[in-house]
Every structure is written in C-alpha cells, then in structure tokens.
Amino acid sequence: MDRQAGKAYGILKSKQEDNLNSINETYLTDSKYADVEDLTSKLESFKHKYMEFDLNDQGEIDIMALKRMLEKLGVARTHLELKKMMSDVVGNTESRDTICYTDFLNMMLGKRNAILRLILMYEGKAKEQEPKATAPPPPKTFADLP
C-alpha cells in the first residue's frame, strides 16, 4: 500500500500552483492589462477558481469539469451548450476540448462577454451578498405559524 499518496498530491498541487503563478506574472508585466483595476487580487482569485475546477489535476478544465462546475453553481447546461461555451473560450478556430489557464484568463480579463465569465462573476457576487449566520435561528412558536 502506498502511504505517500497525499504527499504526492500535495507536490502535484504545489507544482500546478507554481505554474499558474508564473503565468500570472506574465499577465502582471503585460502592458495590455496595465489598466485592469486590482489585477493582482483578480489573478489570485482566478487561480484559485481554476484550481478548484481542474478536477483531473492535469492543468486544464475539460468538458466534464465544466459541467460539474456549472451544476455546482446551479446552472446546468446541455452537452451542446457546453461545447459552445468551450469553443467561445478557446476560440472557434481550435478544436480542443479543454480550457487551459491562459484561455481562462483571457476570457475573464477580456472584453468579450463569454457566458462562462458571466456565470463565474455572478457566483462571486452571490457569495459576497450571502449573509453570514452567526448564531442558530431563534426557536419557533405557534404564534409564528401562518
């Protein structure tokens, strides 16, 4: 039995994060994105979101990971709609079935209005507006019933 699987997974995630950090550095030094407000924190949140939905830890989001992500957000889509989203993000000229981190950043920072970008932005805003429960709800009485 291999007792080092957790360690290997940690090393894999660490290498993946280092790779994504190096890509983030190229975006931070690119003059094309100099006017983006709070670029450093945006890139950091995009990195964490990307790593969360990279289910197979290959550094790319495939169609099944996209499907799971949208289902988790409560926006289930058909296979054809997912294919359309993928082609919007990757570009219609390429025939890839995965979204790499660079494509993901181009979508999130780009001027085009991709459906996936809107969904992810909506999820972020919904999380900001969720009230934080600090205590259990008060006990109900018969007077509270309609």
Side-chain angles (χ1 to χ4, degrees), residues 53-107:
F53 293 114
D54 178 15
L55 300 177
N56 59 6
D57 297 318
Q58 297 294 319
E60 296 183 331
I61 295 177
D62 63 358
I63 198 157
M64 289 309 293
L66 180 61
K67 180 179 174 60
R68 276 199 180 145
M69 175 179 64
L70 293 175
E71 286 173 350
K72 182 178 177 184
L73 298 174
V75 189
R77 298 284 187 213
T78 66
H79 188 75
L80 290 175
E81 289 171 323
L82 293 172
K83 293 289 256 184
K84 171 78 170 102
M85 280 185 199
M86 292 288 257
S87 68
D88 285 348
V89 173
V90 178
N92 292 330
T93 58
E94 298 184 34
S95 61
R96 287 191 325 208
D97 286 336
T98 58
I99 299 172
C100 68
Y101 186 59
T102 307
D103 293 334
F104 184 76
L105 288 179
N106 288 337
M107 173 195 64

Side-chain angles (χ1 to χ4, degrees), residues 32-46:
K32 186 167 113 176
Y33 299 103
D35 62 337
V36 176
E37 186 178 324
D38 203 15
L39 182 62
T40 305
S41 65
K42 284 183 179 179
L43 288 174
E44 190 66 24
S45 73
F46 294 157

